[in-house]
Structures are given as structure tokens and as C-alpha cells.
Amino acid sequence: MEGAGSAIIVYRHLQRLSAKGWGITVVSDWGQELKYCEQEGWPVFHLTHRKSWWPPYDPANPLLRGIRHWLWAGECDRFLKGVRPDAVFTYLSAFTSFMSQVALAYSRRYRLPLSLIAHDDPACFAQSPETGVEMRRTYQAIVGRAHRNWFASPELAAIYDLPDSRRTTLPPIPDGFEASPDWKPEFAASPLVVYAGNYWPAQLPLLARMARETAAAGGRLMLLVKKSPEVEALCREEPVLWREPFRENREALAFLAENAAGLLVSYTESSDAMPWIRTSFPSKLIEYTHLGLPIMIYAPADSAVAGWARKRDFMDYATPQTPGAVAGFVESLKNREAWHCKAVFSRKFATTEFDPVRIQDAFEAGLN
């Protein structure tokens, strides 16, 4: 699907493989969106859920689970008509390991290399601590048997017991965007700072505080997010602008390049409200660097992006407990020289560690 999350990252990797001549076959569960696969011409196989002669499937029963995984592996092989793939690739969803378990079963039965991408700690999204422990145990079994694991951050890689040879960090691959925005005279009067993408309700109190600080410094804060009753209430009560999200990612990037003076990557005052930020890495930061605009990272000290920012002496990183950080960022956007300095600083990451070609080359090299 278009937008944030693992699905679009997987899609971008597959697109680039396909463009280089790889043949792509997608094995899917029922009910998943197929539009993008159809556009690319990738054949899609839906798993058969049951056959009259198959034993029942019980994911809690190791024997019945193992039998069904073995049968599903055979289904995949029959769909491919015996063609032996060069690689099996899956992403480890934070909410279910079902398809990754099928990928593992297929790779093991036919002795094929399995590679996977992981962006989030599943325990952070579990409905109970007990469920979280069980999910982590299941995911550990999968990553422990894959020949290649790509994690979105070193912090995420560290939660699993793995040898270093199978513990690799791979940033979420961006769409990439050729932009050369320049400082505009209107920034001197009222610079526009934009937060774009997905949000969680727990972020809104901090966004409200940032909106007030931005307004006090003479700037404007815009949210480019889906409308909700909470967002509507925020816009009524606080100095917040709102714009409806664009249908396509590149349209959103073009809007930001044309209108924004600065961009915002923020979470909550404490990681306790969003515990997954301790290991997840914001793909929006990677996208933003390609715009060549100043970026402010406003995140708790124990978040993965904060660790990244500290190691790189990121110009505008601050915790929500840092007095005057937002106001200082807004004031700097009013000055042409300061703005350019920050823009050049953020852009350098687009040509180094966040270069999509560099990320894709590392991904492809590890597939088989």
C-alpha cells in the first residue's frame, strides 16, 4: 500500500529488483491489496486455507502447525511449477508472523536462502505482556533461522539473540526526490514548519505544545495528516494548520519542497507513551533528507532516532525537555544563511547513508 510502513518499503525494494531483471513472485494471504502487484505484472499466489484431506491447523499445536507449514511450502512450490527461486524474502510484521512462518517453512523444505526485513519490535504492539513474550519467542525462532536479517536500527537488532553475521542494519528505503528548494523572503516573516505522515493520538499533546511555541516565535505549524475528531479538536483549540494528505507520496514531497521552511520529526514527551520508538526508525526522516530542507528531530533521549542523531551531531536534535528548542529552530528559519546551512546539512544524508541506490545495493547483495 502507498504510505508509511513496511509494505511500501517492501514494494520499493521489489520494484528496483524487477527493474534490474529479477523475476518477482508474490505469495499472499487472502484479503491483501493486489493493485500494485498487478500494475507491476507480478504473479500472485494466495495460500490455500484448507483442503478436505489436510489435518486441522492449530498454531498453538507444534505438530499440527508444522504439518500445515510443510503443506503450504509444497503449495508454493507447485505454484512456481518446480522453478527454484534464487531467494525467499519476507518482512516481519509487528502484528503477525504468519506469512513469515510460511516463508521460513518454504525456504527450509526446499533449502533456499531466506532473508527478512524487520522494522518494529512486536512486543510493543502486543495486547498483553504475556502475548508480547510469546510473540518475541516466535520471532526469535524466525530470525534465528534466516540467513540474512535486516533491521531498521541497531536498537531493534539488539533485542534478538543473533550472531553479528546475521544482524545487519538497513534503513527503510526512501522514494527519493530531486529537489532544490531555496529560502524564500516570506520565511523571514512567518516560516511554515510541517509535520507529515502517520500519527498516534499520544503525539497530539506534544504537537499542541510545539504549535504554541512555534506561534510565539512567529512561525506556523502545519499537520499533513489524516483527519480525525482529535485532529479537528486540536486545530480548533491550538494555532495549528491542517492539510489533507496527498494520495501519492511524491505529491506530498513536492508540496513540502514548495511550501515548507522546515520539517518536523517528533514523537511524544516520553517513550513510555510510544514504546516502539525505542527501536523503530522514522522513515519520514529518510524521505525528508532528500528535500534539502532544514529538519528538526524532537524525540525522547531513549528513542532510536535520538541515538542516531547524537552519533551524527545532528544540528537540530532536542528532547521535549529542552527549553526553547522549538523557538530556536523557528527563529533560525527566518535567516537565509542559517536556513541554507541547515538545508545543506540535512541534504548530505540523502547522498550518503540514505541514498536509495546504496540501500538497494546492500539489500540485493545479501539476498542469496
Side-chain angles (χ1 to χ4, degrees), residues 14 20 28-29 36 47 54 76 96 103 120 173 185 284 321:
L14 295 182
K20 289 188 67 174
S28 169
D29 197 11
Y36 290 97
L47 287 179
W54 283 4
C76 296
T96 173
D120 300 288
I173 189 168
K284 70 175 61 180
Q321 291 72 40

Side-chain angles (χ1 to χ4, degrees), residues 167-311:
R167 189 198 303 272
T168 307
T169 301
L170 187 74
I173 189 168
D175 211 4
F177 197 85
E178 290 298 326
S180 54
D182 201 355
W183 186 85
K184 298 178 176 62
E186 54 263 35
F187 293 170
S190 182
L192 179 67
V193 179
V194 181
Y195 175 93
N198 290 342
Y199 79 94
W200 290 77
Q203 293 176 258
L204 297 183
L206 184 58
L207 286 169
R209 196 185 90 193
M210 296 181 71
R212 294 191 293 270
E213 294 181 18
T214 299
R220 296 163 294 148
L221 177 63
M222 173 182 283
L223 303 186
L224 193 64
V225 301
K226 290 182 179 179
K227 184 179 287 187
S228 70
E230 296 90 351
V231 169
E232 290 181 322
L234 181 68
C235 293
R236 286 194 305 269
E237 298 164 6
E238 305 289 352
V240 176
L241 303 174
W242 174 83
R243 196 201 186 286
E244 185 177 2
F246 293 88
R247 287 179 56 85
E248 300 290 336
N249 187 54
R250 297 188 72 80
E251 292 179 304
L253 294 175
F255 172 83
L256 295 174
E258 179 63 27
N259 296 280
L263 302 171
L264 177 63
V265 176
S266 74
Y267 289 122
T268 49
E269 292 210 25
S270 165
S271 65
D272 292 339
M274 293 174 66
W276 55 90
I277 68 176
R278 296 166 187 156
T279 53
S280 301
F281 195 85
S283 57
K284 70 175 61 180
L285 170 62
I286 298 174
E287 294 277 15
Y288 286 172
T289 63
H290 288 260
L291 295 176
L293 291 169
I295 301 169
M296 181 172 193
I297 299 173
Y298 202 56
D302 60 348
S303 63
V305 71
W308 178 90
R310 286 192 298 270
K311 290 176 182 176

Side-chain angles (χ1 to χ4, degrees), residues 27-356:
V27 179
S28 169
D29 197 11
W30 286 96
Q32 294 184 318
E33 175 61 58
L34 301 181
K35 179 177 69 174
Y36 290 97
C37 295
E38 292 168 351
Q39 288 177 354
E40 301 291 342
W42 300 333
V44 178
F45 169 60
H46 287 297
L47 287 179
T48 303
H49 274 203
R50 65 180 63 180
K51 292 184 178 180
S52 59
W53 61 91
W54 283 4
Y57 175 60
D58 181 357
N61 184 304
L63 177 60
L64 294 176
R65 184 179 66 239
I67 292 173
R68 182 59 66 88
H69 286 168
W70 190 85
L71 291 168
W72 274 327
E75 290 269 288
C76 296
D77 185 64
R78 280 190 290 278
F79 175 66
L80 289 167
K81 298 181 173 60
V83 174
R84 181 181 176 85
D86 295 292
V88 182
F89 167 53
T90 186
Y91 81 89
L92 204 52
S93 166
F95 304 101
T96 173
S97 61
F98 175 68
M99 290 305 299
S100 293
Q101 291 186 61
V102 174
L104 174 61
Y106 176 57
S107 71
R108 295 188 75 190
R109 178 171 173 178
Y110 296 99
R111 300 182 182 278
L112 299 165
L114 172 67
S115 305
L116 67 83
I117 280 179
H119 292 143
D120 300 288
D121 177 0
C124 295
F125 300 91
Q127 295 181 349
S128 68
E130 295 76 18
T131 302
V133 170
E134 182 58 34
M135 290 179 70
R136 182 78 66 79
R137 185 181 300 117
T138 299
Y139 284 46
Q140 173 66 55
I142 297 171
V143 300
R145 290 168 179 160
H147 98 288
R148 176 74 64 177
N149 299 290
W150 290 289
F151 298 101
S153 71
E155 291 82 1
L156 182 59
I159 73 173
Y160 294 106
D161 181 15
L162 290 169
D164 290 342
S165 60
R166 286 189 285 149
R167 189 198 303 272
T168 307
T169 301
L170 187 74
I173 189 168
D175 211 4
F177 197 85
E178 290 298 326
S180 54
D182 201 355
W183 186 85
K184 298 178 176 62
E186 54 263 35
F187 293 170
S190 182
L192 179 67
V193 179
V194 181
Y195 175 93
N198 290 342
Y199 79 94
W200 290 77
Q203 293 176 258
L204 297 183
L206 184 58
L207 286 169
R209 196 185 90 193
M210 296 181 71
R212 294 191 293 270
E213 294 181 18
T214 299
R220 296 163 294 148
L221 177 63
M222 173 182 283
L223 303 186
L224 193 64
V225 301
K226 290 182 179 179
K227 184 179 287 187
S228 70
E230 296 90 351
V231 169
E232 290 181 322
L234 181 68
C235 293
R236 286 194 305 269
E237 298 164 6
E238 305 289 352
V240 176
L241 303 174
W242 174 83
R243 196 201 186 286
E244 185 177 2
F246 293 88
R247 287 179 56 85
E248 300 290 336
N249 187 54
R250 297 188 72 80
E251 292 179 304
L253 294 175
F255 172 83
L256 295 174
E258 179 63 27
N259 296 280
L263 302 171
L264 177 63
V265 176
S266 74
Y267 289 122
T268 49
E269 292 210 25
S270 165
S271 65
D272 292 339
M274 293 174 66
W276 55 90
I277 68 176
R278 296 166 187 156
T279 53
S280 301
F281 195 85
S283 57
K284 70 175 61 180
L285 170 62
I286 298 174
E287 294 277 15
Y288 286 172
T289 63
H290 288 260
L291 295 176
L293 291 169
I295 301 169
M296 181 172 193
I297 299 173
Y298 202 56
D302 60 348
S303 63
V305 71
W308 178 90
R310 286 192 298 270
K311 290 176 182 176
R312 288 152 183 82
D313 293 323
F314 199 84
M315 275 189 173
D316 288 289
Y317 158 67
T319 69
Q321 291 72 40
T322 306
V326 174
F329 179 66
V330 174
E331 287 290 348
S332 70
L333 302 179
K334 299 177 182 179
N335 180 278
R336 184 186 185 98
E337 289 72 25
W339 185 96
H340 272 287
C341 182
K342 295 174 186 291
V344 170
F345 178 79
S346 66
R347 176 68 184 174
K348 75 174 184 178
F349 296 104
T351 58
T352 53
E353 63 184 294
F354 295 154
D355 176 6

